Amino acid sequence: MNIAFFCEGNIIGKISRNYPDMRTDLAWICALEADRIPLNQVPNKKYDLGIVIIPKQNPQFSLKNLKSYCEKIAVMQEGPNWYWQDYPLDQQIWYYNTIQEADFMFVHNYADQKYYEGLTGKKCKILPSLMIEDSINNLPQVDKKNIIIGGNFCSWYGGFDSYIVAQEADCPIYIPSMGRKIKGEEQMPNLNHLPYMNWVEWIHTLSQFKYGIHLMRTHAAGTFALNCAYLGIPCIGYEGLDTQHICHPDLTVKLGDLDTAKKFLTKLKTNKEFYNECSLLAKENYKKYYHEDKFNPTR
């Protein structure tokens, strides 16, 4: 099948398997051997399927022009399924009409599938998060230590919740630097910020940690839980995110249940057998459900 992804940004054409910043959207394009085309560019050939990722910050996009180049058009969910309802009303209507123009939608999670099928009355397919392993399959063996939380201190990432729970591990706490990092985070006790880094650098860095926590209420691609599973790092997170509850079923808590999250972390710290079971299960579930060999969203 001849596929094109229409996205923000200036990357054009195929994505090589050793591309150093292989975030999820580029991994999809790579695995499907698709073409990546900027949203503002007209294709120079026709495609069996066009997949459009509508920008979160600029949702006023029409699929009409692309339909003359693509036999089928799908819209890929961008961000959590409720994000678009924070737009001004005219943009909410625009977004709703745009996804109604599509033949079907791709979504992140099972909960998103139910939501968008109810919203649009159209078939929705899960496009699972994906890792292209070529650039990271020879990671050095290290003695894992310390704990990392998955996002910064804002409601989007739930960083404060993760930080509070992470203190139960009684070890240095690390955190990535992301686009929503806020002023003053560096002043938090026992919190160490990692620098901005590309995807390959991120995986190499993440592989050094023993525990992961990502109490993020905003459910979308779930790459932190997935990356942890690939590396065998037990990750505590909220239910409703497929990569979390599929890869880390014994460490998944109900939304807001910080008490149980603390108990899980204490058990990981004090019960070596439980830690090893969670680590092994995460790796096995990654291979069973998320390895590239299982990736075939065009069926």
Side-chain angles (χ1 to χ4, degrees):
M1 180 178 284
N2 198 15
I3 301 173
F5 275 75
F6 298 90
C7 324
E8 275 189 304
N10 297 318
I11 302 174
I12 301 173
K14 307 291 185 184
I15 304 297
S16 68
R17 296 189 64 86
N18 61 356
Y19 186 74
D21 202 11
M22 190 70 80
R23 57 184 188 266
T24 295
D25 58 327
L26 298 181
W28 292 331
I29 296 169
C30 177
L32 294 171
E33 298 182 350
D35 290 332
R36 190 187 191 281
I37 302 174
L39 280 171
N40 59 359
Q41 188 173 96
V42 176
N44 57 15
K45 64 179 183 180
K46 294 196 173 183
Y47 294 90
D48 300 311
L49 174 63
I51 302 173
V52 180
I53 302 178
I54 300 173
K56 289 197 292 285
Q57 302 300 327
N58 185 22
Q60 292 171 276
F61 184 79
S62 175
L63 305 180
K64 292 178 181 176
N65 291 336
L66 296 182
K67 287 195 169 185
S68 60
Y69 294 94
C70 303
E71 183 176 337
K72 295 285 185 180
I73 289 282
V75 169
M76 175 62 212
Q77 174 188 354
E78 172 68 340
N81 61 37
W82 47 260
Y83 186 90
W84 64 283
Q85 293 192 54
D86 282 335
Y87 296 147
L89 182 57
D90 62 323
Q91 291 189 4
Q92 290 187 43
I93 295 170
W94 188 298
Y95 177 83
Y96 176 76
N97 289 337
T98 299
I99 61 178
Q100 290 289 27
E101 292 175 7
D103 295 293
F104 63 97
M105 283 191 68
F106 283 118
V107 299
H108 289 299
N109 301 291
Y110 175 65
D112 299 318
Q113 184 181 42
K114 294 192 292 184
Y115 172 79
Y116 278 109
E117 287 186 344
L119 181 70
T120 65
K122 296 176 181 289
K123 178 68 176 176
C124 295
K125 300 180 180 182
I126 294 174
L127 189 61
S129 294
L130 179 66
M131 295 174 63
I132 301 296
E133 301 175 17
D134 296 47
S135 298
I136 58 168
N137 56 14
N138 290 313
L139 294 171
Q141 295 298 313
V142 297
D143 182 20
K144 296 181 186 298
K145 61 182 180 178
N146 299 327
I147 189 166
I148 184 166
I149 62 179
N152 297 121
F153 283 55
C154 58
S155 61
W156 186 275
Y157 288 119
F160 208 113
D161 291 353
S162 297
Y163 172 74
I164 293 298
V165 173
Q167 293 179 69
E168 298 296 311
D170 194 26
C171 65
I173 303 169
Y174 287 77
I175 185 173
S177 296
M178 308 172 81
R180 287 182 170 81
K181 179 182 177 182
I182 65 172
K183 183 179 180 181
E185 285 187 16
E186 294 87 351
Q187 299 175 23
M188 299 298 291
N190 193 31
L191 185 65
N192 305 279
H193 280 78
L194 299 171
Y196 291 95
M197 57 188 76
N198 67 34
W199 185 78
V200 170
E201 293 169 337
W202 161 247
I203 297 298
H204 276 262
T205 301
L206 181 63
S207 70
Q208 301 171 37
F209 289 93
K210 188 171 185 178
Y211 315 100
I213 299 183
H214 201 19
L215 297 171
M216 178 177 175
R217 300 168 183 267
T218 308
H219 292 161
T223 54
F224 184 84
L226 184 67
N227 295 163
C228 285
Y230 171 78
L231 296 167
I233 301 170
C235 179
I236 298 169
Y238 287 137
E239 66 182 7
L241 184 69
D242 286 3
T243 56
Q244 173 64 38
H245 69 76
I246 290 173
C247 293
H248 309 275
D250 297 331
L251 299 173
T252 300
V253 302
K254 293 186 181 298
L255 189 64
D257 189 355
L258 302 189
D259 185 55
T260 299
K262 287 181 178 181
K263 291 176 180 176
F264 281 160
L265 183 53
T266 298
K267 189 173 182 180
L268 286 171
K269 178 185 173 184
T270 59
N271 187 327
K272 185 175 181 180
E273 183 178 355
F274 179 66
Y275 179 93
N276 290 337
E277 287 174 355
C278 290
S279 175
L280 180 60
L281 183 61
K283 286 184 175 181
E284 290 176 345
N285 285 340
Y286 168 83
K287 291 178 182 177
K288 184 176 179 180
Y289 297 105
Y290 287 99
H291 189 273
E292 188 180 353
D293 290 346
K294 311 296 183 182
F295 183 75
N296 189 7
T298 59
R299 286 182 296 187

